[in-house]
PDB file of all heavy atoms in Angstrom:
ATOM      1  N   SER I  10     -29.095  10.067 -78.461  1.00 97.00           N
ATOM      2  CA  SER I  10     -28.457  11.030 -77.581  1.00 97.00           C
ATOM      3  C   SER I  10     -29.019  10.871 -76.170  1.00 97.00           C
ATOM      4  O   SER I  10     -30.114  10.334 -75.980  1.00 97.00           O
ATOM      5  CB  SER I  10     -28.673  12.464 -78.084  1.00 97.00           C
ATOM      6  OG  SER I  10     -30.054  12.774 -78.105  1.00 97.00           O
ATOM      7  N   LEU I  11     -28.239  11.334 -75.203  1.00 97.00           N
ATOM      8  CA  LEU I  11     -28.583  11.137 -73.803  1.00 97.00           C
ATOM      9  C   LEU I  11     -27.991  12.274 -72.982  1.00 97.00           C
ATOM     10  O   LEU I  11     -26.829  12.649 -73.199  1.00 97.00           O
ATOM     11  CB  LEU I  11     -28.028   9.789 -73.341  1.00 97.00           C
ATOM     12  CG  LEU I  11     -28.333   9.310 -71.926  1.00 97.00           C
ATOM     13  CD1 LEU I  11     -29.828   9.124 -71.742  1.00 97.00           C
ATOM     14  CD2 LEU I  11     -27.609   7.994 -71.674  1.00 97.00           C
ATOM     15  N   ILE I  12     -28.794  12.797 -72.066  1.00 98.00           N
ATOM     16  CA  ILE I  12     -28.315  13.832 -71.147  1.00 98.00           C
ATOM     17  C   ILE I  12     -28.506  13.334 -69.728  1.00 98.00           C
ATOM     18  O   ILE I  12     -29.613  12.906 -69.361  1.00 98.00           O
ATOM     19  CB  ILE I  12     -29.073  15.161 -71.344  1.00 98.00           C
ATOM     20  CG1 ILE I  12     -28.907  15.670 -72.780  1.00 98.00           C
ATOM     21  CG2 ILE I  12     -28.569  16.214 -70.359  1.00 98.00           C
ATOM     22  CD1 ILE I  12     -29.722  16.922 -73.082  1.00 98.00           C
ATOM     23  N   ILE I  13     -27.444  13.369 -68.934  1.00 98.00           N
ATOM     24  CA  ILE I  13     -27.528  12.923 -67.543  1.00 98.00           C
ATOM     25  C   ILE I  13     -26.794  13.914 -66.648  1.00 98.00           C
ATOM     26  O   ILE I  13     -25.977  14.711 -67.130  1.00 98.00           O
ATOM     27  CB  ILE I  13     -26.941  11.513 -67.341  1.00 98.00           C
ATOM     28  CG1 ILE I  13     -25.456  11.484 -67.703  1.00 98.00           C
ATOM     29  CG2 ILE I  13     -27.716  10.486 -68.142  1.00 98.00           C
ATOM     30  CD1 ILE I  13     -24.776  10.170 -67.390  1.00 98.00           C
ATOM     31  N   LEU I  14     -27.079  13.843 -65.354  1.00 98.00           N
ATOM     32  CA  LEU I  14     -26.395  14.693 -64.390  1.00 98.00           C
ATOM     33  C   LEU I  14     -25.119  14.016 -63.905  1.00 98.00           C
ATOM     34  O   LEU I  14     -25.046  12.778 -63.805  1.00 98.00           O
ATOM     35  CB  LEU I  14     -27.308  14.987 -63.199  1.00 98.00           C
ATOM     36  CG  LEU I  14     -28.542  15.862 -63.510  1.00 98.00           C
ATOM     37  CD1 LEU I  14     -29.417  15.998 -62.270  1.00 98.00           C
ATOM     38  CD2 LEU I  14     -28.129  17.224 -64.030  1.00 98.00           C
ATOM     39  N   GLU I  15     -24.148  14.827 -63.637  1.00 98.00           N
ATOM     40  CA  GLU I  15     -22.873  14.335 -63.124  1.00 98.00           C
ATOM     41  C   GLU I  15     -23.099  13.447 -61.902  1.00 98.00           C
ATOM     42  O   GLU I  15     -23.895  13.762 -61.033  1.00 98.00           O
ATOM     43  CB  GLU I  15     -21.986  15.526 -62.758  1.00 98.00           C
ATOM     44  CG  GLU I  15     -20.567  15.178 -62.368  1.00 98.00           C
ATOM     45  CD  GLU I  15     -19.743  16.413 -62.053  1.00 98.00           C
ATOM     46  OE1 GLU I  15     -20.351  17.503 -61.865  1.00 98.00           O
ATOM     47  OE2 GLU I  15     -18.508  16.313 -62.003  1.00 98.00           O
ATOM     48  N   GLY I  16     -22.385  12.307 -61.899  1.00 98.00           N
ATOM     49  CA  GLY I  16     -22.503  11.383 -60.778  1.00 98.00           C
ATOM     50  C   GLY I  16     -23.495  10.256 -61.026  1.00 98.00           C
ATOM     51  O   GLY I  16     -23.454   9.237 -60.327  1.00 98.00           O
ATOM     52  N   LYS I  17     -24.369  10.443 -62.008  1.00 98.00           N
ATOM     53  CA  LYS I  17     -25.349   9.409 -62.310  1.00 98.00           C
ATOM     54  C   LYS I  17     -24.747   8.331 -63.215  1.00 98.00           C
ATOM     55  O   LYS I  17     -23.742   8.537 -63.876  1.00 98.00           O
ATOM     56  CB  LYS I  17     -26.579  10.023 -62.995  1.00 98.00           C
ATOM     57  CG  LYS I  17     -27.331  11.017 -62.136  1.00 98.00           C
ATOM     58  CD  LYS I  17     -27.905  10.373 -60.900  1.00 98.00           C
ATOM     59  CE  LYS I  17     -28.755  11.360 -60.111  1.00 98.00           C
ATOM     60  NZ  LYS I  17     -29.294  10.746 -58.853  1.00 98.00           N
ATOM     61  N   ASN I  18     -25.398   7.154 -63.218  1.00 98.00           N
ATOM     62  CA  ASN I  18     -25.001   6.063 -64.100  1.00 98.00           C
ATOM     63  C   ASN I  18     -25.853   6.094 -65.369  1.00 98.00           C
ATOM     64  O   ASN I  18     -26.945   6.663 -65.395  1.00 98.00           O
ATOM     65  CB  ASN I  18     -25.215   4.716 -63.409  1.00 98.00           C
ATOM     66  CG  ASN I  18     -24.474   4.605 -62.101  1.00 98.00           C
ATOM     67  OD1 ASN I  18     -23.470   5.293 -61.876  1.00 98.00           O
ATOM     68  ND2 ASN I  18     -24.970   3.756 -61.219  1.00 98.00           N
ATOM     69  N   CYS I  19     -25.349   5.461 -66.412  1.00 98.00           N
ATOM     70  CA  CYS I  19     -26.143   5.339 -67.636  1.00 98.00           C
ATOM     71  C   CYS I  19     -25.711   4.087 -68.393  1.00 98.00           C
ATOM     72  O   CYS I  19     -24.613   3.558 -68.175  1.00 98.00           O
ATOM     73  CB  CYS I  19     -26.001   6.569 -68.527  1.00 98.00           C
ATOM     74  SG  CYS I  19     -24.373   6.815 -69.231  1.00 98.00           S
ATOM     75  N   THR I  20     -26.587   3.629 -69.283  1.00 98.00           N
ATOM     76  CA  THR I  20     -26.299   2.442 -70.090  1.00 98.00           C
ATOM     77  C   THR I  20     -26.649   2.725 -71.546  1.00 98.00           C
ATOM     78  O   THR I  20     -27.745   3.202 -71.848  1.00 98.00           O
ATOM     79  CB  THR I  20     -27.117   1.230 -69.593  1.00 98.00           C
ATOM     80  OG1 THR I  20     -26.764   0.959 -68.234  1.00 98.00           O
ATOM     81  CG2 THR I  20     -26.810   0.002 -70.447  1.00 98.00           C
TER      82      THR I  20
END
Side-chain angles (χ1 to χ4, degrees):
Chain I
S10 62
L11 184 62
I12 301 175
I13 62 174
L14 293 176
E15 187 179 15
K17 297 297 185 182
N18 303 336
C19 67
T20 300

